Amino acid sequence: MKSAVETLNPTRVRLTVEVPFEELKDSLDAAYKKINQQVTVKGFRKGKIPARVIDQRFGRGAVLEEAVNDALPKFYTEAVNEAELNVLGQPEVDITELKDGETLNFTAEVDIRPTIEIPDYSGIEVEVDAVEVSEEDVDKAVSDLRERFASTSPVERAAEDGDVVTIDLEAKVGGEVLEDGVASGVSYTIGSGELLEGIDDAVKGLEAGGEATFTSELKGGSAAGQEAEVTVKVTQVAARELPELDDEFAQLASEFDTLDELKADSRKRLENMKQYDQATQAQERVLEKLLELVEVPVPEKLLEDEVNTRKHNLEHHQLGQMGLDIEKYLEIQGKTVEEFDTETKEAAVKGIKTQFVLDELVKQEKLNVNQEELTEHLMRRAASSGMSPDQFAQAVVEGGQVPLLVGEVARGKALAVVVEKAVVKDTNGEVIDLDDEDEVEQATETVEAAEGTADAEAEAEAEEKTEG
């Protein structure tokens, strides 16, 4: 076999392959054997029909077609390996010449990973938000905790903001009560915004036994997105009572003995959260700067596939779970189809560039992923998918997704290397040290967010495996 490579553009090549006919012998033998098992000829036992009889009865062309279909993948792979190409997707193959007994010639056009030059990235500088926790922040955290320990007691008066009401609901569309539009004994806190738009105004002022009717757009169910006439009946009004903010509350709501200790712990927790957010912000901004430094051509077919994948994941794995379609989603977002398409394409381009650049850095920095790092990543991904670690791991292995997870962690390590060499300052001008034991996993999450679809794709495939 002889092969040659022609570069069509930085991301696409054409392979020209010439195969001497004698190299088709194994595929020809396999073709005769396969046809032997599929046909019957009077006077011959099944599987024992001579090749010349098959040629006479069914045509040499049928045998050649079967043989070529069997041989093409093998010769294509040999040509790719010989040229040391890093191909993307499936090739477009064209048989240019097939002479029985002489030669098989074909071409294969395929996208390839572009050659990327990573410049010196040690001079990257970014600014991030300073970690500042105010007294108001601490007071809000303690107040939120206090809300969780509120008690309720029935009252004989009209419902007010903040009260917890027990209600019965009935929704009609077109004058007909929906099968899934009736609910009884629903507990609702007025002002929480957790149910239907308009329900707060409807129930405020009602005492137990009172009812009202209002119009609202349904958020889910069989008539999601449609206007419904909703009748709400209040069966009980209960006032919420908050505990006093004192040492007794601290002992009730935490492991601390005093309110001051509880507040100090709340401040520390808020600082940790803001430090985590600050590190994520630094990683995102360093990645953006890195991508600006590198020229990355994007294969057109790969970009098209990525855009389609993102749209598919949004429609079938995200909006579907919320009972929305793409039209309703765009309406809620206040976007046109054109704006959505533009944003999706821009995000896809960023995701592809992120993967290409960080994969090149993985090679350049000779980064490897150890078992502990892979296991930690798998545990997090399992938690985000709602599956147990064992279920997720089994699904990943059966779905052949282990290399995908390894790649994600490796790219996270590559980003962590770049961040480590960057100068990160906060808005106060202070240089930030981002060294952290969870840095790689956090960087991996940042990379996943930039790539966009990796997480959704792997989890969707894992879930499908589990369901199957």
Side-chain angles (χ1 to χ4, degrees):
M1 185 196 80
K2 292 194 304 182
S3 64
V5 180
E6 176 188 357
T7 300
L8 303 177
N9 61 49
T11 64
R12 194 165 179 83
V13 298
R14 179 188 292 122
L15 286 162
T16 301
V17 184
E18 298 178 11
V19 183
F21 207 80
E22 56 266 23
E23 293 188 32
L24 286 172
K25 183 180 184 306
D26 289 345
S27 293
L28 278 168
D29 291 344
Y32 279 116
K33 185 175 181 180
K34 182 176 181 180
I35 293 173
N36 241 307
Q37 298 301 320
Q38 294 175 338
V39 300
T40 302
V41 176
K42 188 175 181 179
F44 296 95
R45 286 183 295 162
K46 195 173 185 66
K48 299 296 183 179
I49 308 169
R52 59 179 176 76
V53 175
I54 290 177
D55 288 346
Q56 291 168 358
R57 289 293 186 94
F58 306 102
R60 175 70 167 176
V63 179
L64 288 175
E65 182 179 355
E66 183 68 40
V68 169
N69 288 339
D70 175 74
L72 277 177
K74 179 182 69 172
F75 291 121
Y76 165 73
T77 301
E78 286 182 13
V80 166
N81 293 338
E82 188 177 283
E84 298 182 342
L85 298 175
N86 195 339
V87 299
L88 300 166
Q90 296 300 313
E92 294 180 8
V93 177
D94 181 26
I95 298 173
T96 55
E97 186 176 30
L98 176 58
K99 289 186 177 180
D100 194 358
E102 295 183 31
T103 186
L104 163 66
N105 298 336
F106 68 92
T107 62
E109 288 191 19
V110 67
D111 286 335
I112 59 169
R113 280 192 177 235
T115 300
I116 298 174
E117 295 294 330
I118 306 291
D120 180 17
Y121 52 82
S122 59
I124 290 179
E125 293 187 17
V126 297
E127 184 181 73
V128 295
D129 296 334
V131 173
E132 296 173 344
V133 178
S134 66
E135 286 300 323
E136 290 77 12
D137 293 333
V138 175
D139 289 344
K140 185 179 184 309
V142 173
S143 177
D144 290 344
L145 181 62
R146 186 187 183 200
E147 289 282 344
R148 287 162 49 191
F149 283 85
S151 59
T152 60
S153 57
V155 293
E156 294 184 3
R157 59 166 173 77
E160 302 172 355
D161 267 327
D163 285 344
V164 178
V165 289
T166 304
I167 56 178
D168 297 336
L169 294 165
E170 181 183 84
K172 294 180 180 179
V173 173
E176 297 291 329
V177 178
L178 299 172
E179 287 187 16
D180 55 355
V182 178
S184 300
V186 177
S187 180
Y188 174 67
T189 301
I190 300 176
S192 66
E194 295 174 352
L195 279 178
L196 299 167
E197 186 174 341
I199 194 169
D200 289 337
D201 291 336
V203 297
K204 276 191 293 187
L206 295 181
E207 297 184 19
E211 68 177 56
T213 300
F214 63 100
T215 301
S216 183
E217 183 179 298
L218 299 178
K219 296 180 179 179
S222 61
Q226 296 186 45
E227 288 287 326
E229 183 182 86
V230 182
T231 299
V232 55
K233 180 177 181 180
V234 176
T235 59
Q236 178 180 278
V237 179
R240 300 176 73 251
E241 297 175 0
L242 296 172
E244 291 294 326
L245 280 178
D246 52 23
D247 292 347
E248 187 175 336
F249 168 69
Q251 294 163 20
L252 169 69
S254 70
E255 69 270 31
F256 302 106
D257 294 325
T258 68
L259 184 60
D260 287 342
E261 290 174 332
L262 173 60
K263 287 185 174 181
D265 180 69
S266 296
R267 177 178 293 277
K268 183 62 178 175
R269 288 174 185 271
L270 289 170
E271 287 175 350
N272 290 341
M273 288 170 57
K274 293 202 173 195
Q275 285 171 350
Y276 187 92
D277 292 342
Q278 185 187 64
T280 299
Q281 190 179 63
Q283 291 164 352
E284 291 171 347
R285 294 183 178 178
V286 167
L287 177 58
E288 288 173 4
K289 291 273 190 178
L290 176 65
L291 295 181
E292 289 173 5
L293 291 175
V294 187
E295 185 68 30
V296 185
V298 176
E300 290 183 13
K301 183 64 169 62
L302 179 64
L303 177 58
E304 179 185 339
D305 290 344
E306 179 74 359
V307 168
N308 290 336
T309 297
R310 286 170 182 262
K311 289 181 177 180
H312 175 85
N313 286 335
L314 175 65
E315 291 189 50
H316 297 279
H317 296 296
Q318 296 174 44
L319 299 184
Q321 294 177 355
M322 296 186 287
L324 297 175
D325 57 22
I326 190 67
E327 289 78 14
K328 188 61 184 175
Y329 168 76
L330 293 179
E331 181 185 329
I332 293 171
Q333 294 291 313
K335 295 177 183 175
T336 65
V337 173
E338 291 73 20
E339 289 171 336
F340 170 71
D341 287 343
T342 298
E343 290 180 7
T344 303
K345 184 175 181 180
E346 289 174 351
V349 168
K350 181 181 179 182
I352 292 169
K353 287 185 174 181
T354 296
Q355 188 172 115
F356 284 176
V357 170
L358 294 181
D359 280 346
E360 185 63 31
L361 268 172
V362 169
K363 289 196 299 182
Q364 183 174 302
E365 300 291 342
K366 297 180 173 61
L367 301 175
N368 295 305
V369 176
N370 60 42
Q371 186 61 47
E372 182 181 350
E373 291 166 336
L374 180 59
T375 299
E376 182 181 352
H377 182 55
L378 188 146
M379 296 278 283
R380 181 182 65 79
R381 288 286 297 276
S384 67
S385 72
M387 301 166 65
S388 73
D390 287 345
Q391 282 179 318
F392 189 79
Q394 181 180 352
V396 164
V397 171
E398 291 178 357
Q401 298 295 310
V402 173
L404 184 146
L405 295 187
V406 171
E408 288 173 355
V409 179
R411 289 191 286 276
K413 295 184 76 169
L415 177 57
V417 167
V418 180
V419 172
E420 188 177 342
K421 294 183 179 180
V423 176
V424 181
K425 294 182 180 180
D426 67 17
T427 48
N428 295 327
E430 298 288 330
V431 176
I432 306 300
D433 181 5
L434 296 173
D435 288 342
D436 187 271
E437 61 181 9
D438 297 323
E439 183 181 9
V440 170
E441 187 60 23
Q442 189 175 0
T444 302
E445 292 182 37
T446 301
V447 171
E448 287 174 8
E451 291 180 356
T453 60
D455 206 51
E457 276 186 304
E459 284 171 16
E461 289 186 29
E463 287 169 9
E464 287 171 7
K465 272 282 179 184
T466 304
E467 291 167 2

